[in-house]
């Protein structure tokens, strides 16, 4: 089984917003693939929101409510992307051979 310091941070939160982790040696297992797929969706959503944000910021007539809604969506996407980056960075550090 995976050592405690090699747990994978999953791309979703548990109850009360606490992080969820996966302990497995099977990176091709169901939960690993599910996490990979969700991470891909989260990154795709963030890319779409970034494009939308650029367009909205260039629109001189954008309503304040539209900007607030966009800011909320960007905040959620940034939270997801940071979780993905943290998880993948940890996976890279764990998979690199130690001297």
């Amino acid at each position: 089984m995976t050592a405690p310091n090699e747990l994978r941070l999953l791309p979703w939160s548990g109850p009360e917003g606490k992080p969820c982790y996966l302990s497995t040696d099977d990176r091709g297992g169901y939960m690993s693939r599910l996490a990979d797929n969700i991470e891909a969706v989260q990154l795709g959503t963030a890319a779409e929101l970034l494009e939308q944000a650029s367009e909205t910021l260039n629109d001189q007539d954008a309503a304040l409510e539209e900007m607030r809604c966009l800011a909320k969506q960007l905040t959620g996407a940034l939270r997801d992307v940071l979780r993905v980056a943290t998880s993948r960075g940890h996976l890279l550090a764990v998979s690199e051979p130690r001297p």
Side-chain angles (χ1 to χ4, degrees):
M1 203 51 144
T2 305
N5 63 342
E6 296 177 1
L7 297 175
R8 177 181 180 169
L9 176 64
L10 293 172
W12 56 81
S13 298
E16 301 170 10
K18 294 182 180 180
C20 292
Y21 296 91
L22 176 63
S23 174
T24 183
D25 292 331
D26 186 5
R27 291 194 180 184
Y30 175 77
M31 290 301 293
S32 293
R33 289 191 326 270
L34 178 63
D36 290 342
N37 290 336
I38 290 175
E39 286 178 351
V41 168
Q42 289 173 329
L43 293 174
T45 298
E48 291 171 10
L49 280 170
L50 181 59
E51 187 175 321
Q52 181 184 346
S54 295
E55 292 171 6
T56 302
L57 290 171
N58 288 329
D59 181 3
Q60 298 292 331
D61 299 324
L64 180 59
E65 190 57 35
E66 184 179 0
M67 297 293 269
R68 282 188 179 131
C69 180
L70 181 60
K72 281 185 174 182
Q73 292 174 329
L74 285 169
T75 300
L78 180 57
R79 186 179 301 111
D80 291 343
V81 167
L82 285 172
R83 185 181 291 124
V84 171
T86 300
S87 176
R88 291 186 180 183
H90 179 72
L91 289 175
L92 286 173
V94 168
S95 65
E96 290 178 358
R98 296 197 172 107

